[in-house]
């Protein structure tokens, strides 16, 4: 997480759906920055242990490069 750099390649993974799996290829489009939802008490992702001067959760922006056929979990395990 802390070593992601702009331009690094990533696999775009669909989760929380009927068939989870890899659905595309993307790249990292921004440097890591604190996820603002961790500090918002109204957010379902609020983390009271996370402090602005020491965030526990980081995120990056990604840029979609191309969609792929869905590569599901069963196929990845093979």
């Amino acid at each position: 997480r802390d070593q992601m750099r702009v331009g690094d390649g990533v696999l775009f993974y669909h989760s929380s759906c009927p068939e989870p799996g890899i659905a595309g290829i993307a790249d990292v489009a921004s440097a890591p920055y604190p996820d603002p939802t961790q500090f918002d008490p109204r957010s379902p992702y609020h983390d009271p242990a996370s402090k602005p001067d020491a965030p526990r959760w980081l995120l990056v922006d990604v840029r979609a490069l191309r969609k792929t056929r869905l590569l599901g979990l069963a196929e990845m395990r093979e």
Side-chain angles (χ1 to χ4, degrees):
R1 155 198 105 159
D2 297 332
Q3 296 175 358
M4 286 194 274
R5 301 285 179 253
V6 172
D8 284 352
V10 297
L11 300 173
F12 192 88
Y13 186 83
H14 279 291
S15 61
S16 300
C17 59
E19 188 176 355
I22 296 169
I25 298 172
D27 65 13
V28 175
S30 74
Y33 58 96
D35 181 343
T37 63
Q38 67 190 310
F39 309 121
D40 182 355
R42 297 167 300 185
S43 169
Y45 307 108
H46 178 242
D47 183 349
S50 188
K51 307 297 178 209
D53 59 338
R56 294 174 53 167
W57 303 99
L58 299 176
L59 55 84
V60 294
D61 298 323
V62 297
R63 176 181 29 250
L65 297 177
R66 76 174 177 263
K67 187 176 178 179
T68 63
R69 71 174 181 81
L70 184 68
L71 181 61
L73 290 173
E75 188 176 356
M76 281 190 269
R77 288 181 180 126
E78 289 177 9

Coordinates of all heavy atoms in Angstrom, one line a residue:
R1 N 0.8 -1.2 0.0 CA 0.0 0.0 0.0 C 0.9 1.2 0.0 O 0.6 2.2 -0.8 CB -0.9 -0.1 1.2 CG -1.4 1.2 1.7 CD -2.0 1.1 3.1 NE -1.0 1.7 4.0 CZ -1.3 2.2 5.2 NH1 -2.5 2.1 5.7 NH2 -0.4 2.7 5.9
D2 N 1.8 1.3 0.9 CA 2.7 2.5 1.0 C 3.7 2.7 -0.2 O 4.3 3.7 -0.3 CB 3.4 2.6 2.3 CG 2.4 2.6 3.5 OD1 1.3 3.1 3.3 OD2 2.8 2.1 4.6
Q3 N 3.9 1.6 -0.9 CA 4.9 1.7 -2.0 C 4.3 1.9 -3.4 O 5.0 1.9 -4.4 CB 5.7 0.4 -2.0 CG 6.5 0.2 -0.7 CD 7.2 -1.1 -0.6 OE1 7.1 -1.9 -1.4 NE2 7.9 -1.3 0.5
M4 N 3.0 2.1 -3.5 CA 2.3 2.3 -4.8 C 2.8 3.6 -5.3 O 2.9 4.6 -4.6 CB 0.8 2.3 -4.7 CG 0.2 0.9 -4.5 SD -1.5 0.9 -4.8 CE -2.2 1.4 -3.2
R5 N 3.1 3.6 -6.6 CA 3.6 4.8 -7.3 C 2.8 5.0 -8.6 O 2.3 4.1 -9.2 CB 5.1 4.6 -7.7 CG 6.0 4.4 -6.6 CD 6.3 5.6 -5.7 NE 7.1 5.4 -4.6 CZ 6.8 5.3 -3.4 NH1 5.5 5.5 -3.0 NH2 7.6 5.1 -2.4
V6 N 2.7 6.3 -9.0 CA 2.0 6.7 -10.2 C 2.6 5.9 -11.3 O 3.8 5.8 -11.5 CB 2.1 8.2 -10.4 CG1 1.5 8.5 -11.8 CG2 1.4 9.0 -9.3
G7 N 1.7 5.3 -12.1 CA 2.2 4.5 -13.3 C 2.2 3.0 -13.0 O 2.3 2.2 -13.9
D8 N 2.2 2.6 -11.7 CA 2.2 1.1 -11.4 C 0.9 0.5 -12.0 O -0.1 1.1 -11.9 CB 2.2 0.9 -9.9 CG 3.5 1.1 -9.2 OD1 4.5 1.3 -10.0 OD2 3.6 1.1 -8.0
G9 N 1.1 -0.7 -12.5 CA 0.0 -1.4 -13.1 C -0.8 -2.1 -11.9 O -0.3 -2.5 -10.9
V10 N -2.1 -2.2 -12.1 CA -3.0 -2.9 -11.2 C -4.1 -3.7 -11.9 O -4.4 -3.4 -13.1 CB -3.7 -1.9 -10.2 CG1 -2.7 -1.2 -9.3 CG2 -4.6 -0.9 -10.9
L11 N -4.6 -4.7 -11.3 CA -5.7 -5.4 -11.8 C -7.0 -4.9 -11.1 O -7.0 -4.7 -9.9 CB -5.6 -6.9 -11.4 CG -4.3 -7.6 -12.0 CD1 -4.2 -9.0 -11.5 CD2 -4.3 -7.6 -13.5
F12 N -8.0 -4.6 -11.9 CA -9.2 -4.0 -11.4 C -10.1 -5.2 -11.0 O -10.5 -6.0 -11.9 CB -9.9 -3.2 -12.5 CG -11.1 -2.4 -12.0 CD1 -10.8 -1.1 -11.4 CD2 -12.3 -2.9 -12.0 CE1 -11.9 -0.4 -10.9 CE2 -13.4 -2.2 -11.4 CZ -13.2 -0.9 -10.9
Y13 N -10.4 -5.3 -9.8 CA -11.1 -6.5 -9.2 C -12.5 -6.1 -8.8 O -12.7 -5.2 -8.0 CB -10.3 -7.0 -8.0 CG -10.8 -8.3 -7.4 CD1 -10.5 -9.5 -8.0 CD2 -11.7 -8.3 -6.3 CE1 -11.0 -10.7 -7.4 CE2 -12.2 -9.4 -5.8 CZ -11.8 -10.7 -6.3 OH -12.3 -11.8 -5.8
H14 N -13.5 -6.8 -9.3 CA -14.9 -6.6 -8.8 C -15.1 -7.5 -7.6 O -14.9 -8.7 -7.7 CB -15.9 -7.1 -9.9 CG -16.1 -6.0 -11.0 ND1 -16.7 -4.9 -10.8 CD2 -15.7 -6.0 -12.3 CE1 -16.8 -4.2 -11.9 NE2 -16.2 -4.8 -12.8
S15 N -15.7 -7.0 -6.6 CA -16.0 -7.7 -5.4 C -17.5 -7.3 -5.0 O -18.1 -6.5 -5.6 CB -15.1 -7.5 -4.3 OG -15.1 -6.1 -3.9
S16 N -18.0 -8.0 -4.0 CA -19.4 -7.7 -3.6 C -20.4 -7.8 -4.7 O -21.2 -6.9 -4.9 CB -19.5 -6.4 -2.8 OG -18.6 -6.4 -1.7
C17 N -20.2 -8.8 -5.6 CA -21.1 -9.0 -6.7 C -21.3 -10.5 -6.9 O -20.6 -11.3 -6.3 CB -20.5 -8.3 -8.0 SG -18.9 -9.0 -8.4
P18 N -22.3 -10.9 -7.7 CA -22.6 -12.3 -7.9 C -21.3 -13.1 -8.3 O -21.2 -14.3 -7.8 CB -23.6 -12.3 -9.0 CG -24.3 -11.0 -8.9 CD -23.2 -10.0 -8.5
E19 N -20.5 -12.6 -9.2 CA -19.3 -13.3 -9.6 C -18.1 -12.4 -9.4 O -17.7 -11.7 -10.4 CB -19.4 -13.9 -11.0 CG -18.3 -14.8 -11.4 CD -18.4 -15.4 -12.8 OE1 -19.4 -15.2 -13.4 OE2 -17.5 -16.1 -13.2
P20 N -17.4 -12.5 -8.3 CA -16.2 -11.6 -8.1 C -15.1 -12.1 -9.0 O -15.0 -13.3 -9.4 CB -15.8 -11.8 -6.7 CG -16.8 -12.7 -6.1 CD -17.7 -13.3 -7.1
G21 N -14.2 -11.2 -9.4 CA -13.0 -11.5 -10.2 C -12.4 -10.3 -10.8 O -12.8 -9.2 -10.6
I22 N -11.3 -10.5 -11.6 CA -10.6 -9.5 -12.3 C -11.4 -9.1 -13.5 O -11.7 -10.0 -14.3 CB -9.2 -9.9 -12.6 CG1 -8.4 -10.2 -11.3 CG2 -8.5 -8.9 -13.5 CD1 -7.1 -10.9 -11.6
A23 N -11.7 -7.8 -13.7 CA -12.5 -7.4 -14.8 C -11.8 -6.3 -15.7 O -12.4 -5.9 -16.7 CB -13.8 -6.8 -14.3
G24 N -10.6 -6.0 -15.3 CA -9.9 -5.0 -16.2 C -8.5 -4.7 -15.7 O -8.0 -5.2 -14.7
I25 N -7.8 -3.9 -16.5 CA -6.4 -3.5 -16.2 C -6.4 -2.0 -16.0 O -7.1 -1.3 -16.8 CB -5.5 -3.9 -17.3 CG1 -5.5 -5.5 -17.4 CG2 -4.1 -3.4 -17.1 CD1 -4.7 -6.0 -18.6
A26 N -5.7 -1.5 -15.0 CA -5.7 -0.1 -14.7 C -4.3 0.3 -14.3 O -3.4 -0.6 -14.2 CB -6.7 0.3 -13.6
D27 N -4.0 1.6 -14.1 CA -2.8 2.0 -13.5 C -3.0 3.0 -12.4 O -4.1 3.6 -12.3 CB -1.7 2.4 -14.5 CG -2.1 3.7 -15.2 OD1 -3.0 4.4 -14.8 OD2 -1.4 4.0 -16.2
V28 N -2.1 3.1 -11.5 CA -2.1 4.1 -10.4 C -2.0 5.5 -11.0 O -1.0 5.8 -11.7 CB -1.1 3.8 -9.3 CG1 -1.1 4.8 -8.2 CG2 -1.3 2.4 -8.7
A29 N -3.0 6.4 -10.6 CA -3.0 7.7 -11.2 C -2.7 8.8 -10.2 O -2.6 10.0 -10.6 CB -4.3 8.0 -11.9
S30 N -2.5 8.5 -9.0 CA -2.1 9.5 -8.0 C -1.3 8.9 -6.9 O -1.2 7.6 -6.7 CB -3.4 10.1 -7.3 OG -4.0 9.2 -6.4
A31 N -0.6 9.7 -6.2 CA 0.2 9.3 -5.0 C -0.8 8.9 -3.9 O -2.0 9.3 -3.9 CB 1.1 10.4 -4.5
P32 N -0.5 8.0 -3.0 CA -1.4 7.6 -1.9 C -1.7 8.9 -1.0 O -0.9 9.7 -0.8 CB -0.5 6.6 -1.1 CG 0.5 6.1 -2.0 CD 0.8 7.2 -2.9
Y33 N -3.0 8.9 -0.6 CA -3.4 10.0 0.3 C -4.4 9.4 1.3 O -5.0 8.4 1.0 CB -3.9 11.2 -0.5 CG -5.1 10.9 -1.4 CD1 -6.4 11.1 -1.0 CD2 -4.9 10.5 -2.7 CE1 -7.5 10.9 -1.8 CE2 -5.9 10.2 -3.6 CZ -7.2 10.5 -3.1 OH -8.3 10.2 -4.0
P34 N -4.6 10.1 2.4 CA -5.5 9.5 3.5 C -6.9 9.5 2.9 O -7.4 10.4 2.3 CB -5.4 10.6 4.6 CG -4.1 11.2 4.4 CD -3.9 11.3 2.9
D35 N -7.6 8.4 3.2 CA -9.0 8.2 2.9 C -9.8 9.1 3.9 O -9.8 8.9 5.1 CB -9.4 6.7 3.1 CG -10.8 6.5 2.8 OD1 -11.7 7.4 2.7 OD2 -11.2 5.3 2.6
P36 N -10.5 10.1 3.3 CA -11.2 11.0 4.2 C -12.4 10.4 5.0 O -12.7 10.9 6.1 CB -11.7 12.1 3.3 CG -11.7 11.5 1.9 CD -10.7 10.5 1.9
T37 N -12.9 9.3 4.5 CA -14.0 8.7 5.3 C -13.6 8.1 6.6 O -14.5 8.0 7.5 CB -14.7 7.5 4.4 OG1 -13.7 6.5 4.2 CG2 -15.1 8.1 3.1
Q38 N -12.4 7.8 6.8 CA -11.9 7.3 8.1 C -12.1 8.3 9.3 O -12.2 8.0 10.4 CB -10.5 6.8 8.1 CG -9.5 7.9 7.8 CD -8.1 7.4 7.5 OE1 -7.6 6.5 8.2 NE2 -7.5 7.9 6.5
F39 N -12.1 9.6 8.9 CA -12.2 10.7 9.9 C -13.7 11.2 10.1 O -13.9 12.0 11.0 CB -11.3 11.9 9.5 CG -9.9 11.5 9.2 CD1 -9.4 11.7 8.0 CD2 -9.1 10.8 10.1 CE1 -8.1 11.4 7.7 CE2 -7.8 10.4 9.9 CZ -7.3 10.7 8.6
D40 N -14.6 10.7 9.3 CA -16.0 11.2 9.3 C -16.9 10.3 10.2 O -17.2 9.2 9.8 CB -16.5 11.3 7.9 CG -17.9 11.8 7.8 OD1 -18.5 12.1 8.9 OD2 -18.4 12.0 6.7
P41 N -17.3 10.8 11.4 CA -18.1 9.9 12.3 C -19.4 9.5 11.6 O -20.0 8.5 12.1 CB -18.4 10.8 13.5 CG -17.5 12.0 13.3 CD -17.0 12.1 11.9
R42 N -19.9 10.2 10.6 CA -21.1 9.8 10.0 C -20.9 8.7 8.9 O -21.9 8.2 8.4 CB -21.8 11.0 9.3 CG -22.2 12.1 10.3 CD -22.6 13.4 9.7 NE -21.3 13.8 9.0 CZ -21.2 14.9 8.3 NH1 -22.2 15.7 8.2 NH2 -20.1 15.2 7.7
S43 N -19.7 8.4 8.6 CA -19.4 7.5 7.5 C -19.4 6.0 8.1 O -18.9 5.8 9.2 CB -18.0 7.8 6.9 OG -17.6 6.7 6.1
P44 N -19.9 5.1 7.3 CA -19.8 3.7 7.7 C -18.3 3.2 7.8 O -18.1 2.1 8.4 CB -20.6 2.9 6.7 CG -20.7 3.8 5.5 CD -20.6 5.2 6.0
Y45 N -17.4 3.9 7.2 CA -16.0 3.6 7.2 C -15.2 4.3 8.2 O -14.0 4.3 8.3 CB -15.4 3.8 5.8 CG -16.2 3.1 4.8 CD1 -17.0 3.8 3.9 CD2 -16.3 1.7 4.7 CE1 -17.8 3.1 3.0 CE2 -17.1 1.0 3.8 CZ -17.8 1.8 2.9 OH -18.6 1.1 2.0
H46 N -15.9 5.1 9.1 CA -15.2 5.8 10.2 C -14.4 4.9 11.0 O -14.8 3.8 11.4 CB -16.3 6.5 11.1 CG -15.7 7.3 12.2 ND1 -15.9 7.0 13.5 CD2 -14.8 8.3 12.2 CE1 -15.3 7.8 14.3 NE2 -14.6 8.7 13.5
D47 N -13.1 5.3 11.3 CA -12.2 4.6 12.2 C -11.8 5.5 13.3 O -10.9 6.3 13.1 CB -11.0 4.1 11.3 CG -10.1 3.2 12.1 OD1 -10.2 3.1 13.4 OD2 -9.2 2.6 11.5
P48 N -12.4 5.4 14.5 CA -12.0 6.3 15.6 C -10.6 6.2 16.0 O -10.0 7.1 16.6 CB -12.9 5.9 16.7 CG -13.8 4.8 16.2 CD -13.4 4.4 14.8
A49 N -9.9 5.1 15.7 CA -8.5 4.9 16.0 C -7.5 5.7 15.1 O -6.4 5.8 15.3 CB -8.1 3.5 16.1
S50 N -8.1 6.1 13.9 CA -7.2 6.7 12.9 C -7.2 8.2 13.2 O -8.3 8.9 13.4 CB -7.8 6.5 11.5 OG -6.9 6.9 10.6
K51 N -6.1 8.8 13.2 CA -5.9 10.3 13.4 C -5.4 11.0 12.2 O -4.6 10.4 11.5 CB -5.0 10.5 14.6 CG -5.3 9.7 15.9 CD -6.7 10.2 16.4 CE -7.0 9.4 17.6 NZ -8.5 9.3 17.8
P52 N -5.8 12.2 12.0 CA -5.3 12.9 10.8 C -3.7 13.0 10.7 O -3.2 13.0 9.6 CB -5.9 14.3 10.9 CG -7.1 14.1 11.7 CD -6.8 13.0 12.7
D53 N -3.0 13.0 11.8 CA -1.6 13.1 11.7 C -1.0 11.7 11.6 O 0.3 11.6 11.4 CB -1.0 13.8 12.9 CG -1.4 13.2 14.3 OD1 -2.4 12.5 14.3 OD2 -0.7 13.4 15.3
A54 N -1.8 10.7 11.7 CA -1.3 9.3 11.6 C -2.4 8.4 11.0 O -3.0 7.6 11.7 CB -0.8 8.7 12.9
P55 N -2.8 8.6 9.7 CA -3.9 7.9 9.1 C -3.6 6.4 9.0 O -2.5 6.0 8.8 CB -4.1 8.5 7.8 CG -2.8 9.2 7.4 CD -2.2 9.6 8.8
R56 N -4.7 5.6 9.2 CA -4.5 4.2 9.1 C -4.9 3.7 7.7 O -4.5 2.6 7.3 CB -5.4 3.5 10.1 CG -4.9 3.7 11.5 CD -5.8 3.2 12.6 NE -6.1 1.8 12.3 CZ -6.6 0.9 13.2 NH1 -7.0 1.4 14.3 NH2 -6.9 -0.3 12.9
W57 N -5.7 4.5 7.0 CA -6.2 4.1 5.7 C -5.8 5.0 4.6 O -6.0 6.2 4.7 CB -7.7 4.0 5.7 CG -8.2 3.0 6.8 CD1 -8.6 3.3 8.0 CD2 -8.2 1.6 6.7 NE1 -8.9 2.2 8.7 CE2 -8.7 1.1 8.0 CE3 -7.8 0.7 5.7 CZ2 -8.8 -0.2 8.2 CZ3 -8.0 -0.7 6.0 CH2 -8.4 -1.1 7.2
L58 N -5.1 4.5 3.6 CA -4.7 5.3 2.4 C -5.5 4.8 1.2 O -5.9 3.7 1.1 CB -3.2 5.2 2.2 CG -2.3 5.7 3.3 CD1 -0.9 5.5 3.0 CD2 -2.6 7.2 3.6
L59 N -5.6 5.7 0.2 CA -6.1 5.3 -1.1 C -5.3 6.0 -2.2 O -4.6 6.9 -2.0 CB -7.6 5.6 -1.2 CG -8.1 7.1 -0.9 CD1 -8.0 7.9 -2.2 CD2 -9.5 7.1 -0.5
V60 N -5.5 5.4 -3.4 CA -5.0 6.0 -4.6 C -6.1 6.1 -5.6 O -7.0 5.4 -5.6 CB -3.8 5.2 -5.2 CG1 -2.6 5.2 -4.2 CG2 -4.2 3.8 -5.6
D61 N -5.9 7.1 -6.5 CA -6.8 7.1 -7.7 C -6.2 6.2 -8.7 O -5.0 6.0 -8.8 CB -6.8 8.5 -8.3 CG -7.4 9.5 -7.3 OD1 -8.3 9.2 -6.5 OD2 -6.9 10.7 -7.2
V62 N -7.1 5.5 -9.5 CA -6.7 4.6 -10.6 C -7.3 5.1 -11.9 O -8.3 5.7 -11.9 CB -7.0 3.2 -10.3 CG1 -6.3 2.7 -9.0 CG2 -8.5 2.9 -10.2
R63 N -6.6 4.8 -13.0 CA -7.1 5.1 -14.3 C -7.3 3.8 -15.1 O -6.4 2.9 -15.2 CB -6.0 5.9 -15.0 CG -6.3 6.3 -16.5 CD -5.2 7.1 -17.2 NE -3.9 6.9 -16.7 CZ -3.2 7.8 -16.0 NH1 -3.7 9.0 -15.7 NH2 -2.0 7.6 -15.5
A64 N -8.5 3.6 -15.5 CA -8.8 2.4 -16.3 C -8.1 2.4 -17.6 O -8.1 3.4 -18.3 CB -10.3 2.3 -16.5
L65 N -7.5 1.3 -18.0 CA -6.8 1.2 -19.2 C -7.6 0.3 -20.2 O -7.7 0.7 -21.4 CB -5.4 0.6 -19.0 CG -4.4 1.4 -18.2 CD1 -3.1 0.7 -18.0 CD2 -4.2 2.8 -18.8
R66 N -8.0 -0.8 -19.8 CA -8.9 -1.6 -20.6 C -9.7 -2.6 -19.8 O -9.2 -3.1 -18.8 CB -8.1 -2.3 -21.7 CG -7.3 -3.5 -21.3 CD -6.6 -4.1 -22.6 NE -5.8 -5.2 -22.2 CZ -4.5 -5.1 -22.0 NH1 -3.9 -4.0 -22.3 NH2 -3.8 -6.2 -21.7
K67 N -10.8 -2.9 -20.3 CA -11.7 -4.0 -19.7 C -11.2 -5.3 -20.3 O -10.8 -5.4 -21.4 CB -13.2 -3.7 -20.1 CG -14.2 -4.5 -19.5 CD -15.6 -4.1 -19.9 CE -16.6 -5.0 -19.2 NZ -17.9 -4.6 -19.6
T68 N -11.3 -6.3 -19.4 CA -11.0 -7.7 -19.8 C -12.2 -8.6 -19.6 O -13.2 -8.2 -19.0 CB -9.8 -8.2 -19.0 OG1 -10.2 -8.3 -17.6 CG2 -8.6 -7.3 -19.1
R69 N -12.1 -9.8 -20.1 CA -13.1 -10.8 -19.8 C -13.0 -11.0 -18.3 O -11.9 -10.8 -17.7 CB -13.0 -12.0 -20.6 CG -11.8 -12.9 -20.1 CD -11.8 -14.2 -20.9 NE -10.6 -15.0 -20.5 CZ -10.6 -15.7 -19.4 NH1 -11.6 -15.8 -18.5 NH2 -9.5 -16.4 -19.1
L70 N -14.1 -11.4 -17.6 CA -14.0 -11.6 -16.2 C -13.2 -12.9 -15.9 O -13.5 -13.9 -16.5 CB -15.4 -11.8 -15.6 CG -15.5 -12.0 -14.1 CD1 -15.1 -10.7 -13.4 CD2 -16.9 -12.4 -13.7
L71 N -12.2 -12.7 -15.1 CA -11.4 -13.8 -14.6 C -11.8 -14.1 -13.2 O -11.5 -13.4 -12.3 CB -9.9 -13.5 -14.7 CG -8.9 -14.5 -14.2 CD1 -9.0 -15.8 -15.1 CD2 -7.5 -14.0 -14.3
G72 N -12.7 -15.1 -13.0 CA -13.3 -15.4 -11.7 C -12.3 -16.1 -10.8 O -11.2 -16.6 -11.1
L73 N -12.7 -16.2 -9.5 CA -11.9 -16.8 -8.5 C -11.5 -18.2 -8.8 O -10.4 -18.7 -8.6 CB -12.6 -16.7 -7.1 CG -12.7 -15.3 -6.5 CD1 -13.6 -15.4 -5.3 CD2 -11.4 -14.8 -6.2
A74 N -12.5 -19.0 -9.2 CA -12.2 -20.5 -9.5 C -11.1 -20.6 -10.6 O -10.2 -21.4 -10.4 CB -13.5 -21.2 -10.0
E75 N -11.2 -19.8 -11.6 CA -10.2 -19.8 -12.7 C -8.8 -19.4 -12.2 O -7.8 -19.9 -12.5 CB -10.7 -19.0 -13.9 CG -9.8 -19.2 -15.1 CD -10.2 -18.4 -16.3 OE1 -11.3 -17.8 -16.3 OE2 -9.5 -18.4 -17.3
M76 N -8.8 -18.4 -11.3 CA -7.5 -17.9 -10.8 C -6.9 -19.0 -9.9 O -5.7 -19.1 -9.9 CB -7.7 -16.6 -10.0 CG -7.9 -15.4 -10.8 SD -7.8 -13.9 -9.8 CE -9.5 -13.7 -9.4
R77 N -7.7 -19.7 -9.2 CA -7.2 -20.8 -8.3 C -6.6 -21.9 -9.1 O -5.7 -22.6 -8.6 CB -8.3 -21.3 -7.4 CG -8.6 -20.2 -6.3 CD -9.7 -20.8 -5.4 NE -9.9 -19.7 -4.4 CZ -11.1 -19.3 -4.1 NH1 -12.2 -19.7 -4.7 NH2 -11.3 -18.4 -3.2
E78 N -7.1 -22.1 -10.3 CA -6.5 -23.2 -11.2 C -5.1 -22.9 -11.6 O -4.3 -23.6 -11.8 CB -7.4 -23.4 -12.5 CG -8.7 -24.0 -12.2 CD -9.6 -24.1 -13.5 OE1 -9.1 -23.8 -14.6 OE2 -10.7 -24.4 -13.4

